[in-house]
Amino acid sequence: MENAKEDYKIQSFDLETQKLLKTALKEPSTVDLEKVSNVIVDQSLKDQVFSKEAGRICYTIVQAEAKHNNGNVFRRNLLNRLQLEFVAREETRLRSLQEWVCFVTFICNVFDYLKVNNMPMVALVHPVFDCLLRLAQPDSLNNEEEVDCLVLQLHRIGDQLEKMNGQKMDELFYLLRDGFLLREGLSSMARLLLLEILEFRAGGWMLSDTAQKYYYSEVTD
Amino acid sequence: MNRGNLKRSNYQKRVADGSMRSNEDMDSTSDLKNSNDNHRNSIRPVSFTTPESEGPVPRCTDWESEVETDEMRSSVRCDMQRYRRRILAAEFGPRERNNSSGSSDSRDSPVPGEVMEEDEEVLMRRQKQITYGKNTLAYDRYIKEVPKHLRQPGVHPKTPNKFKKYSRRSWDQQIKLWKVKIHAWDPPAQEGSELQAIDEVDLDDVMDIELDFPELDPDSSAQTPKVSKASSSQADSYQGTPSKMMKIDTSVDLEMS
């Protein structure tokens, strides 16, 4: 059904794979769930649009499988793949910034959607922080692509992450303040993004009206 | 670069945080095989330093196991609260006993004021054993066939109550007996195979087969889709002689010769 396409952003897959995914959503026990999770992870590492919302389809499949036969084959495979990619993240970053950024986006999205008893998965907290801390390193701050990824994730899951581990969030923001103040090579875009996220967190993970206007309104000359 | 230091402090935090380490304790293979209740983990190093690492490195933990352990911990805590309420209800009015099903515990009513098992580690280990037993085709068939209100004590298997105080040995024995009883509802391995066995085989051989209960593999995940070991490969059972039958055939040959 067309809703699935829109909701889960699976347009980028070929038709056969789309069919596989749709079946997984409805009748998970009839498909090879290991294959399904690999398909989803592989695409998330390539396609930035997909990686931003892939957590959602993952959540639905996990729920469907649990309801159907109390299984967790899909989640097990997904988390195993994620863990492998996480361990290899530095090499990934060196090989392809795009893939690295997609990975971070994907793991954060999984953190956002795959809740257990309405709580985020504790197992993912440290890995997600590790990724964000990496993005806050001086060499990453020089790449707009990485800064953009960093602030996007903080907008989406910053408040949840802080609840899970406030100390780590403080640590991250020390780096961001330092980065903003001390890095000389930062582009103006990067500085803008960092300033906005600093204000965003200071405002309790939301922007005041005036700040919103400053950052997001069209400038009329 | 301070990234190396960051890594080390992360690992140390993981080690200090009990929940990250605890899935080692939940390793049911060692739990089920070990007869003593002592903390095995005290002899296994929680972390160790190798020549290549910059500092202590934790034992390998995989995310899925951590998530499963967390899930089990929440459900055990939930059960605990419910059980405590039942103890209170028993104290204040035996007539008000809650008859709703949906509790995963035994239907044993708590004795008013009795001490319940509260050690989370113990409860989680017990719950895992119960989950293994319930995650079978046999159990599924059992609960479909015999609704709770029709269960007869002694005749029908009853889930051991994880909140009651028992010694380790007593608990493990209860679980074993419970699982054996559930096997009575094992699905037949193949159409007509049981009849065949009776026709072709000596009565003694039939007794041997029935007592040879396959133990549920303790290494399998708590959440494997319901599988009875007897019919582990459905495809195989329709091609050629099932392995069980092969054993019978040879023994029959021996008898005949």
Side-chain angles (χ1 to χ4, degrees):
Chain A
M1 60 182 164
E2 282 318 290
N3 289 338
K5 253 188 176 178
E6 248 318 291
D7 290 342
Y8 301 114
K9 307 264 183 283
I10 59 176
Q11 304 94 318
S12 44
F13 290 97
D14 62 69
L15 285 174
E16 197 186 317
T17 313
Q18 283 190 36
K19 196 164 149 217
L20 173 70
L21 292 174
K22 286 180 194 171
T23 316
L25 288 165
K26 281 189 290 213
E27 284 157 48
S29 48
T30 62
V31 295
D32 179 352
L33 289 171
E34 185 178 338
K35 182 173 176 199
V36 171
S37 79
N38 283 330
V39 156
I40 292 176
V41 174
D42 290 337
Q43 186 69 11
S44 304
L45 297 177
K46 287 188 294 195
D47 178 348
Q48 219 158 352
V49 171
F50 183 66
S51 67
K52 283 182 182 167
E53 282 301 320
R56 202 160 160 207
I57 190 174
C58 291
Y59 179 68
T60 312
I61 298 177
V62 168
Q63 294 293 93
E65 197 193 343
K67 191 170 163 191
H68 241 252
N69 61 356
N70 218 20
N72 65 354
V73 172
F74 177 78
R75 187 180 73 187
R76 169 180 296 275
N77 277 301
L78 175 68
L79 290 178
N80 282 341
R81 270 300 300 274
L82 270 180
Q83 192 166 7
L84 286 171
E85 297 292 336
F86 174 72
V87 167
R89 64 195 183 282
E90 203 50 46
E91 293 138 51
T92 303
R93 182 178 178 275
L94 288 172
R95 185 180 61 243
S96 157
L97 264 187
Q98 148 101 330
E99 207 178 308
W100 157 241
V101 160
C102 282
F103 168 69
V104 179
T105 310
F106 180 50
I107 192 177
C108 289
N109 201 237
V110 167
F111 174 85
D112 198 6
Y113 276 103
L114 241 69
K115 298 280 190 346
V116 168
N117 295 322
N118 289 324
M119 287 278 290
M121 289 184 177
V122 173
L124 292 181
V125 174
H126 273 254
V128 165
F129 267 117
D130 282 352
C131 290
L132 299 182
L133 286 164
R134 179 62 182 90
L135 287 172
Q137 298 301 314
D139 58 348
S140 296
L141 293 179
N142 281 331
N143 299 323
E144 260 174 43
E145 210 176 337
E146 291 185 82
V147 180
D148 190 60
C149 176
L150 173 64
V151 302
L152 175 67
Q153 309 319 323
L154 284 172
H155 274 119
R156 290 170 139 205
I157 60 172
D159 55 342
Q160 295 179 60
L161 276 176
E162 190 174 50
K163 280 198 192 94
M164 303 297 287
N165 192 329
Q167 206 174 333
K168 272 249 174 279
M169 189 56 80
D170 289 339
E171 196 182 315
L172 177 63
F173 270 76
Y174 283 136
L175 285 178
L176 294 183
R177 288 191 197 95
D178 280 350
F180 176 78
L181 281 169
L182 306 173
R183 296 297 306 159
E184 286 185 4
L186 274 189
S187 68
S188 57
M189 183 52 153
R191 277 182 274 130
L192 181 71
L193 291 173
L194 287 178
L195 187 62
E196 194 266 5
I197 199 70
L198 287 167
E199 265 194 81
F200 185 72
R201 188 207 181 193
W205 301 101
M206 55 187 195
L207 276 185
S208 66
D209 284 341
T210 44
Q212 177 83 13
K213 236 192 258 182
Y214 176 85
Y215 290 103
Y216 294 104
S217 313
E218 291 297 321
V219 178
T220 46
D221 265 331
Chain B
M1 188 146 18
N2 60 355
R3 196 167 54 79
N5 291 337
L6 270 173
K7 253 194 185 149
R8 190 184 311 154
S9 67
N10 285 348
Y11 287 147
Q12 281 177 341
K13 277 185 184 149
R14 279 201 179 117
V15 163
D17 176 3
S19 67
M20 297 257 182
R21 193 168 49 73
S22 67
N23 66 333
E24 283 306 313
D25 305 339
M26 295 304 125
D27 177 9
S28 64
T29 315
S30 20
D31 276 341
L32 290 174
K33 286 181 185 162
N34 254 359
S35 51
N36 45 330
D37 204 7
N38 295 328
H39 296 285
R40 272 179 320 99
N41 53 304
S42 58
I43 54 170
R44 289 165 111 193
V46 168
S47 66
F48 40 84
T49 308
T50 65
E52 307 87 65
S53 71
E54 294 161 296
V57 174
R59 300 199 74 84
C60 287
T61 53
D62 73 284
W63 296 351
E64 173 62 28
S65 303
E66 286 179 37
V67 173
E68 282 177 16
T69 306
D70 282 343
E71 273 183 319
M72 196 185 310
R73 191 176 294 117
S74 319
S75 99
V76 159
R77 283 183 186 159
C78 202
D79 284 351
M80 252 176 30
Q81 284 182 329
R82 197 165 29 197
Y83 194 75
R84 281 195 188 110
R85 286 201 289 271
R86 288 174 68 194
I87 291 182
L88 286 173
E91 282 173 357
F92 289 107
R95 285 180 300 116
E96 294 173 45
R97 208 173 341 139
N98 192 354
N99 274 326
S100 72
S101 56
S103 160
S104 57
D105 325 320
S106 156
R107 305 271 298 156
D108 272 348
S109 11
V111 173
E114 87 176 303
V115 180
M116 66 181 255
E117 180 60 68
E118 299 207 343
D119 184 330
E120 236 170 50
E121 194 178 312
V122 171
L123 289 172
M124 282 175 69
R125 177 177 18 90
R126 292 180 176 182
Q127 182 57 56
K128 202 168 192 185
Q129 291 170 291
I130 291 172
T131 306
Y132 280 171
K134 288 190 174 180
N135 229 21
T136 54
L137 285 171
Y139 189 78
D140 222 17
R141 295 175 87 226
Y142 166 52
I143 55 177
K144 285 195 178 105
E145 191 179 303
V146 186
K148 269 188 180 161
H149 64 275
L150 290 179
R151 287 189 192 174
Q152 295 161 23
V155 174
H156 293 125
K158 185 172 173 180
T159 310
N161 182 343
K162 65 179 178 276
F163 292 112
K164 284 206 186 286
K165 284 280 189 189
Y166 297 112
S167 71
R168 176 71 186 266
R169 194 145 20 145
S170 163
W171 172 265
D172 286 348
Q173 182 72 344
Q174 288 181 57
I175 287 282
K176 212 184 281 197
L177 293 170
W178 172 67
K179 283 184 173 179
V180 165
K181 276 190 167 172
I182 290 173
H183 276 301
W185 278 266
D186 271 345
Q190 188 181 336
E191 289 294 296
S193 68
E194 277 153 328
L195 283 175
Q196 261 183 317
I198 294 166
D199 285 342
E200 294 177 6
V201 175
D202 219 340
L203 205 59
D204 285 339
D205 289 340
V206 170
M207 290 302 289
D208 285 342
I209 295 159
E210 293 197 338
L211 287 173
D212 183 25
F213 287 119
E215 275 293 313
L216 276 177
D217 184 1
D219 284 334
S220 66
S221 112
Q223 299 280 6
T224 44
K226 298 167 196 236
V227 163
S228 161
K229 267 278 189 143
S231 54
S232 54
S233 48
Q234 284 293 344
D236 287 358
S237 63
Y238 293 103
Q239 294 165 15
T241 321
S243 48
K244 251 196 206 171
M245 291 298 292
M246 281 187 219
K247 236 195 320 195
I248 300 160
D249 284 340
T250 46
S251 64
V252 166
D253 286 341
L254 285 171
E255 302 259 15
M256 303 293 210
S257 60

